[in-house]
Amino acid sequence: MNTQLQPFTPPVSVRVGLLEGYERVTFRYTGRYRIETRSGELLREADASQLKWRVLREKSTPTKFLFSVLVASFTTREEAMALAEQFEDRGLQAAMRQIGGPIEIDGQIIGDNTLYRVQVGNFQIEEDARHLLAKLELDYAPRLVREVLTQSSGRLEMFDQSLEQHYESTDGFRLVPVEPESRLTILGVRMNSGFAYEPTEDRTYEGMIEFYVDHEGDIAALTEIPIDVYLRGVVATEMPVDYPEEALRAQAIASRSLVIATKSIKHLNDPFELCAHVHCQVYSGVTYENPTVTKAVTDTRGNILFNNGIVVDAHYSKVCGGHTEDVLATWMTPPVYAGKGVPCDCTGEMEVPDLMTESGARRWIQSRPKSSCNLDGIDLPVSRAYGRKHFRWETTLLRSELEEIILTKTGVDIGMLYDILPIRRGRSGRLMEVEVLGSLANLRIKRELRIRRQLSHTALESSSFLVEVLTDSQGNPMELVFTGAGWGHGVGMCQAGAAQMASRGMNALQILVHYYPDCKVEKKY
Ligand SMILES: [Zn+2]
Ligand SMILES: [Zn+2]
């Protein structure tokens, strides 16, 4: 009997990092799996097992990195070379790195996401790179990057509960399903929520699973699966599954385009292309697989968003707050598609003030405009009504608490915090730059994600906010009240808005064209 799966060549497969940083991993499976080392040496013929299995790491050595400061990325070599030369002229070591490349599907080139990055400095010690980064902060939106100098190494062991099967390997293990219904469940996967208390859940996967030693010398796992299998898991996690069908279809197409446009430029040091967290898209395997989502992915098979012949990196967010944000205002690497923010409204009746001005932003954030993601007065099931509390929100921090957060997250002791001044807002009213005024130092924070993270224990819901400072009777600042709009970066499709548009009869294509202006959908496989 043939125990192998029929050879199946997906149009595109993706390598997804499932977890990292574990001292031990426990799993079990249903159906039959073949066990190999990662280099392909057979350890155990395909077989079933009723038992739990455990992977442990024995000795390991972490990866050694070189650190540098990424100052800018360009789509042309010439621009990157010119900037690198400017740094060399200033006596700073600068290098150009080419990343990405042609995007191939089914043997056909459908796009190119080559980027030329300019990296300054080259340090063995992270602290030295951070020092340089701080100096470049005012003129650029620099980011620390690392490149592998020597790869981590270590020995993993894997055994079943009865200790009857026991394997050791220095290059990790691979479990290969040999039946289509084979499933592997990893117990207690951390959800990377960013909260101090980290919830875990058991996650079930189909497809091959590899366990290996990660950069820290801990245990990591990855999978390699066809893109549409991946998308079934992503859409079911990234969007409530009872959203209208056309919204789920729009999500499937946006997620597919995002993956294809970015998978070769995100995890350059890792053995996978995408992580399973919000950094890329949340992937939870088949854990939440749902027939409606599966249908949305299958029905839109091969459908990809294009802008002028280029695959769109179709970002999306939970609740835009009434207006979406410009791609260019948000990302520091040049986006493939530089779409401008749009009103989250298909009626054309909503009035939008100029949100880049303080008076406009103030009026907007303090009101409840009738955008598609404003769910006021609409009767919805709980899963869809969750967006309501994010449309407009308020959060209060003690001044002393915020001073401590800023110190911990930026290393800057600003002394007594007096105020947070808006410097620059994007088209959706999101702050792109603020100045924190303190008794010892003032601090500029640029980029919406940094602003959200550095002014909160975890992250503020969005950077579209107003700050009010409450003082005591002597005029000393005591509390800071943040009043805000929306949840997430606000770029691209607003999921809550898409759901309402679908409820009002718009189809997936109409929704996508609304949120990604000048784009069209083409079927490529
Ligand atoms: Zn990622
Ligand atoms: Zn919206």
PDB file of all heavy atoms in Angstrom, residues 317-324 342-345 371-374 391 493-498 501 515, ligand 2:
ATOM      1  N   SER A 317      -6.849  46.754   9.130  1.00  0.00           N
ATOM      2  CA  SER A 317      -6.894  46.913  10.586  1.00  0.00           C
ATOM      3  C   SER A 317      -8.306  46.673  11.100  1.00  0.00           C
ATOM      4  O   SER A 317      -9.252  46.592  10.328  1.00  0.00           O
ATOM      5  CB  SER A 317      -6.367  48.292  10.996  1.00  0.00           C
ATOM      6  OG  SER A 317      -7.274  49.300  10.609  1.00  0.00           O
ATOM      7  N   LYS A 318      -8.427  46.554  12.408  1.00  0.00           N
ATOM      8  CA  LYS A 318      -9.703  46.145  13.024  1.00  0.00           C
ATOM      9  C   LYS A 318     -10.785  47.209  12.841  1.00  0.00           C
ATOM     10  O   LYS A 318     -11.845  46.933  12.313  1.00  0.00           O
ATOM     11  CB  LYS A 318      -9.505  45.907  14.524  1.00  0.00           C
ATOM     12  CG  LYS A 318      -8.494  44.832  14.854  1.00  0.00           C
ATOM     13  CD  LYS A 318      -9.114  43.462  14.833  1.00  0.00           C
ATOM     14  CE  LYS A 318      -8.103  42.414  15.271  1.00  0.00           C
ATOM     15  NZ  LYS A 318      -8.361  41.106  14.674  1.00  0.00           N
ATOM     16  N   VAL A 319     -10.490  48.420  13.341  1.00  0.00           N
ATOM     17  CA  VAL A 319     -11.469  49.515  13.293  1.00  0.00           C
ATOM     18  C   VAL A 319     -10.700  50.783  12.946  1.00  0.00           C
ATOM     19  O   VAL A 319      -9.815  51.196  13.702  1.00  0.00           O
ATOM     20  CB  VAL A 319     -12.150  49.716  14.675  1.00  0.00           C
ATOM     21  CG1 VAL A 319     -13.160  50.853  14.606  1.00  0.00           C
ATOM     22  CG2 VAL A 319     -12.819  48.436  15.161  1.00  0.00           C
ATOM     23  N   CYS A 320     -11.017  51.409  11.809  1.00  0.00           N
ATOM     24  CA  CYS A 320     -10.208  52.570  11.423  1.00  0.00           C
ATOM     25  C   CYS A 320     -10.595  53.816  12.213  1.00  0.00           C
ATOM     26  O   CYS A 320      -9.793  54.733  12.346  1.00  0.00           O
ATOM     27  CB  CYS A 320     -10.296  52.816   9.918  1.00  0.00           C
ATOM     28  SG  CYS A 320     -11.828  53.606   9.390  1.00  0.00           S
ATOM     29  N   GLY A 321     -11.819  53.854  12.706  1.00  0.00           N
ATOM     30  CA  GLY A 321     -12.254  55.027  13.473  1.00  0.00           C
ATOM     31  C   GLY A 321     -12.959  56.063  12.606  1.00  0.00           C
ATOM     32  O   GLY A 321     -13.311  57.135  13.092  1.00  0.00           O
ATOM     33  N   GLY A 322     -13.161  55.768  11.338  1.00  0.00           N
ATOM     34  CA  GLY A 322     -13.915  56.678  10.463  1.00  0.00           C
ATOM     35  C   GLY A 322     -13.161  57.046   9.188  1.00  0.00           C
ATOM     36  O   GLY A 322     -13.744  57.390   8.176  1.00  0.00           O
ATOM     37  N   HIS A 323     -11.823  56.987   9.245  1.00  0.00           N
ATOM     38  CA  HIS A 323     -11.018  57.324   8.072  1.00  0.00           C
ATOM     39  C   HIS A 323      -9.772  56.454   8.098  1.00  0.00           C
ATOM     40  O   HIS A 323      -9.177  56.280   9.150  1.00  0.00           O
ATOM     41  CB  HIS A 323     -10.621  58.798   8.106  1.00  0.00           C
ATOM     42  CG  HIS A 323     -10.257  59.354   6.754  1.00  0.00           C
ATOM     43  ND1 HIS A 323      -9.082  59.027   6.110  1.00  0.00           N
ATOM     44  CD2 HIS A 323     -10.924  60.175   5.920  1.00  0.00           C
ATOM     45  CE1 HIS A 323      -9.039  59.652   4.937  1.00  0.00           C
ATOM     46  NE2 HIS A 323     -10.149  60.358   4.796  1.00  0.00           N
ATOM     47  N   THR A 324      -9.376  55.932   6.949  1.00  0.00           N
ATOM     48  CA  THR A 324      -8.170  55.097   6.936  1.00  0.00           C
ATOM     49  C   THR A 324      -6.922  55.963   6.718  1.00  0.00           C
ATOM     50  O   THR A 324      -7.021  57.131   6.347  1.00  0.00           O
ATOM     51  CB  THR A 324      -8.258  53.980   5.874  1.00  0.00           C
ATOM     52  OG1 THR A 324      -8.211  54.563   4.577  1.00  0.00           O
ATOM     53  CG2 THR A 324      -9.537  53.167   6.034  1.00  0.00           C
ATOM     54  N   VAL A 342      -8.749  56.688   2.966  1.00  0.00           N
ATOM     55  CA  VAL A 342     -10.072  57.069   2.429  1.00  0.00           C
ATOM     56  C   VAL A 342     -11.081  57.127   3.574  1.00  0.00           C
ATOM     57  O   VAL A 342     -10.895  56.483   4.604  1.00  0.00           O
ATOM     58  CB  VAL A 342     -10.575  56.047   1.370  1.00  0.00           C
ATOM     59  CG1 VAL A 342      -9.690  56.061   0.143  1.00  0.00           C
ATOM     60  CG2 VAL A 342     -10.667  54.637   1.966  1.00  0.00           C
ATOM     61  N   PRO A 343     -12.181  57.903   3.374  1.00  0.00           N
ATOM     62  CA  PRO A 343     -13.250  57.852   4.374  1.00  0.00           C
ATOM     63  C   PRO A 343     -13.817  56.435   4.416  1.00  0.00           C
ATOM     64  O   PRO A 343     -13.963  55.800   3.377  1.00  0.00           O
ATOM     65  CB  PRO A 343     -14.297  58.834   3.836  1.00  0.00           C
ATOM     66  CG  PRO A 343     -13.576  59.688   2.847  1.00  0.00           C
ATOM     67  CD  PRO A 343     -12.488  58.833   2.277  1.00  0.00           C
ATOM     68  N   CYS A 344     -14.110  55.962   5.610  1.00  0.00           N
ATOM     69  CA  CYS A 344     -14.657  54.621   5.778  1.00  0.00           C
ATOM     70  C   CYS A 344     -16.166  54.721   5.616  1.00  0.00           C
ATOM     71  O   CYS A 344     -16.912  54.638   6.580  1.00  0.00           O
ATOM     72  CB  CYS A 344     -14.282  54.095   7.158  1.00  0.00           C
ATOM     73  SG  CYS A 344     -14.805  52.424   7.485  1.00  0.00           S
ATOM     74  N   ASP A 345     -16.596  54.949   4.389  1.00  0.00           N
ATOM     75  CA  ASP A 345     -17.995  55.284   4.159  1.00  0.00           C
ATOM     76  C   ASP A 345     -18.298  55.054   2.689  1.00  0.00           C
ATOM     77  O   ASP A 345     -17.605  55.573   1.821  1.00  0.00           O
ATOM     78  CB  ASP A 345     -18.197  56.759   4.534  1.00  0.00           C
ATOM     79  CG  ASP A 345     -19.521  57.309   4.033  1.00  0.00           C
ATOM     80  OD1 ASP A 345     -20.537  56.609   4.196  1.00  0.00           O
ATOM     81  OD2 ASP A 345     -19.531  58.421   3.477  1.00  0.00           O
ATOM     82  N   SER A 371     -19.536  56.736  10.027  1.00  0.00           N
ATOM     83  CA  SER A 371     -18.771  55.895   9.106  1.00  0.00           C
ATOM     84  C   SER A 371     -19.306  54.469   9.160  1.00  0.00           C
ATOM     85  O   SER A 371     -20.117  54.135  10.024  1.00  0.00           O
ATOM     86  CB  SER A 371     -17.293  55.904   9.498  1.00  0.00           C
ATOM     87  OG  SER A 371     -17.108  55.206  10.706  1.00  0.00           O
ATOM     88  N   SER A 372     -18.800  53.628   8.232  1.00  0.00           N
ATOM     89  CA  SER A 372     -19.259  52.232   8.211  1.00  0.00           C
ATOM     90  C   SER A 372     -18.869  51.485   9.484  1.00  0.00           C
ATOM     91  O   SER A 372     -19.539  50.544   9.881  1.00  0.00           O
ATOM     92  CB  SER A 372     -18.677  51.509   6.998  1.00  0.00           C
ATOM     93  OG  SER A 372     -19.154  52.107   5.821  1.00  0.00           O
ATOM     94  N   CYS A 373     -17.755  51.890  10.116  1.00  0.00           N
ATOM     95  CA  CYS A 373     -17.337  51.163  11.320  1.00  0.00           C
ATOM     96  C   CYS A 373     -17.944  51.767  12.586  1.00  0.00           C
ATOM     97  O   CYS A 373     -17.635  51.325  13.690  1.00  0.00           O
ATOM     98  CB  CYS A 373     -15.815  51.075  11.415  1.00  0.00           C
ATOM     99  SG  CYS A 373     -14.958  52.649  11.297  1.00  0.00           S
ATOM    100  N   ASN A 374     -18.816  52.775  12.431  1.00  0.00           N
ATOM    101  CA  ASN A 374     -19.574  53.275  13.577  1.00  0.00           C
ATOM    102  C   ASN A 374     -20.810  52.396  13.718  1.00  0.00           C
ATOM    103  O   ASN A 374     -21.713  52.452  12.892  1.00  0.00           O
ATOM    104  CB  ASN A 374     -19.965  54.734  13.352  1.00  0.00           C
ATOM    105  CG  ASN A 374     -20.788  55.289  14.501  1.00  0.00           C
ATOM    106  OD1 ASN A 374     -21.233  54.546  15.380  1.00  0.00           O
ATOM    107  ND2 ASN A 374     -20.984  56.599  14.499  1.00  0.00           N
ATOM    108  N   PHE A 391     -14.301  52.091  18.508  1.00  0.00           N
ATOM    109  CA  PHE A 391     -14.548  53.193  17.570  1.00  0.00           C
ATOM    110  C   PHE A 391     -14.110  54.512  18.209  1.00  0.00           C
ATOM    111  O   PHE A 391     -13.413  55.324  17.596  1.00  0.00           O
ATOM    112  CB  PHE A 391     -16.029  53.217  17.181  1.00  0.00           C
ATOM    113  CG  PHE A 391     -16.365  54.258  16.164  1.00  0.00           C
ATOM    114  CD1 PHE A 391     -15.863  54.178  14.877  1.00  0.00           C
ATOM    115  CD2 PHE A 391     -17.173  55.338  16.496  1.00  0.00           C
ATOM    116  CE1 PHE A 391     -16.159  55.155  13.928  1.00  0.00           C
ATOM    117  CE2 PHE A 391     -17.480  56.308  15.551  1.00  0.00           C
ATOM    118  CZ  PHE A 391     -16.967  56.220  14.269  1.00  0.00           C
ATOM    119  N   MET A 493      -7.858  48.076   4.444  1.00  0.00           N
ATOM    120  CA  MET A 493      -9.251  47.745   4.767  1.00  0.00           C
ATOM    121  C   MET A 493      -9.535  47.849   6.259  1.00  0.00           C
ATOM    122  O   MET A 493      -8.770  47.382   7.088  1.00  0.00           O
ATOM    123  CB  MET A 493      -9.548  46.319   4.285  1.00  0.00           C
ATOM    124  CG  MET A 493     -10.991  45.902   4.480  1.00  0.00           C
ATOM    125  SD  MET A 493     -11.350  44.293   3.714  1.00  0.00           S
ATOM    126  CE  MET A 493     -10.533  43.187   4.864  1.00  0.00           C
ATOM    127  N   CYS A 494     -10.663  48.484   6.578  1.00  0.00           N
ATOM    128  CA  CYS A 494     -11.172  48.528   7.943  1.00  0.00           C
ATOM    129  C   CYS A 494     -12.116  47.335   8.067  1.00  0.00           C
ATOM    130  O   CYS A 494     -13.140  47.275   7.385  1.00  0.00           O
ATOM    131  CB  CYS A 494     -11.917  49.850   8.150  1.00  0.00           C
ATOM    132  SG  CYS A 494     -12.945  49.912   9.616  1.00  0.00           S
ATOM    133  N   GLN A 495     -11.754  46.371   8.916  1.00  0.00           N
ATOM    134  CA  GLN A 495     -12.540  45.129   8.957  1.00  0.00           C
ATOM    135  C   GLN A 495     -13.973  45.370   9.423  1.00  0.00           C
ATOM    136  O   GLN A 495     -14.917  44.817   8.872  1.00  0.00           O
ATOM    137  CB  GLN A 495     -11.854  44.117   9.869  1.00  0.00           C
ATOM    138  CG  GLN A 495     -10.554  43.583   9.287  1.00  0.00           C
ATOM    139  CD  GLN A 495      -9.885  42.608  10.240  1.00  0.00           C
ATOM    140  OE1 GLN A 495      -9.802  42.862  11.430  1.00  0.00           O
ATOM    141  NE2 GLN A 495      -9.417  41.493   9.717  1.00  0.00           N
ATOM    142  N   ALA A 496     -14.129  46.217  10.460  1.00  0.00           N
ATOM    143  CA  ALA A 496     -15.478  46.487  10.960  1.00  0.00           C
ATOM    144  C   ALA A 496     -16.300  47.198   9.889  1.00  0.00           C
ATOM    145  O   ALA A 496     -17.486  46.911   9.698  1.00  0.00           O
ATOM    146  CB  ALA A 496     -15.405  47.321  12.229  1.00  0.00           C
ATOM    147  N   GLY A 497     -15.658  48.116   9.165  1.00  0.00           N
ATOM    148  CA  GLY A 497     -16.342  48.830   8.088  1.00  0.00           C
ATOM    149  C   GLY A 497     -16.694  47.895   6.943  1.00  0.00           C
ATOM    150  O   GLY A 497     -17.790  47.971   6.372  1.00  0.00           O
ATOM    151  N   ALA A 498     -15.767  46.984   6.608  1.00  0.00           N
ATOM    152  CA  ALA A 498     -16.010  46.026   5.524  1.00  0.00           C
ATOM    153  C   ALA A 498     -17.232  45.163   5.843  1.00  0.00           C
ATOM    154  O   ALA A 498     -18.046  44.870   4.963  1.00  0.00           O
ATOM    155  CB  ALA A 498     -14.779  45.146   5.316  1.00  0.00           C
ATOM    156  N   MET A 501     -20.321  47.224   5.225  1.00  0.00           N
ATOM    157  CA  MET A 501     -20.535  47.406   3.784  1.00  0.00           C
ATOM    158  C   MET A 501     -21.116  46.133   3.177  1.00  0.00           C
ATOM    159  O   MET A 501     -22.012  46.176   2.336  1.00  0.00           O
ATOM    160  CB  MET A 501     -19.219  47.774   3.093  1.00  0.00           C
ATOM    161  CG  MET A 501     -18.757  49.192   3.419  1.00  0.00           C
ATOM    162  SD  MET A 501     -17.238  49.596   2.527  1.00  0.00           S
ATOM    163  CE  MET A 501     -16.816  51.169   3.289  1.00  0.00           C
ATOM    164  N   TYR A 515     -11.321  50.371  -0.241  1.00  0.00           N
ATOM    165  CA  TYR A 515     -10.227  50.564   0.722  1.00  0.00           C
ATOM    166  C   TYR A 515      -8.841  50.582   0.076  1.00  0.00           C
ATOM    167  O   TYR A 515      -7.886  51.071   0.687  1.00  0.00           O
ATOM    168  CB  TYR A 515     -10.271  49.487   1.802  1.00  0.00           C
ATOM    169  CG  TYR A 515     -11.430  49.655   2.761  1.00  0.00           C
ATOM    170  CD1 TYR A 515     -12.493  48.768   2.770  1.00  0.00           C
ATOM    171  CD2 TYR A 515     -11.455  50.731   3.649  1.00  0.00           C
ATOM    172  CE1 TYR A 515     -13.554  48.925   3.648  1.00  0.00           C
ATOM    173  CE2 TYR A 515     -12.509  50.900   4.535  1.00  0.00           C
ATOM    174  CZ  TYR A 515     -13.561  50.005   4.527  1.00  0.00           C
ATOM    175  OH  TYR A 515     -14.598  50.169   5.406  1.00  0.00           O
TER     176      TYR A 515
HETATM  177 ZN    ZN B   2     -13.641  52.106   9.475  1.00  0.00          ZN
END
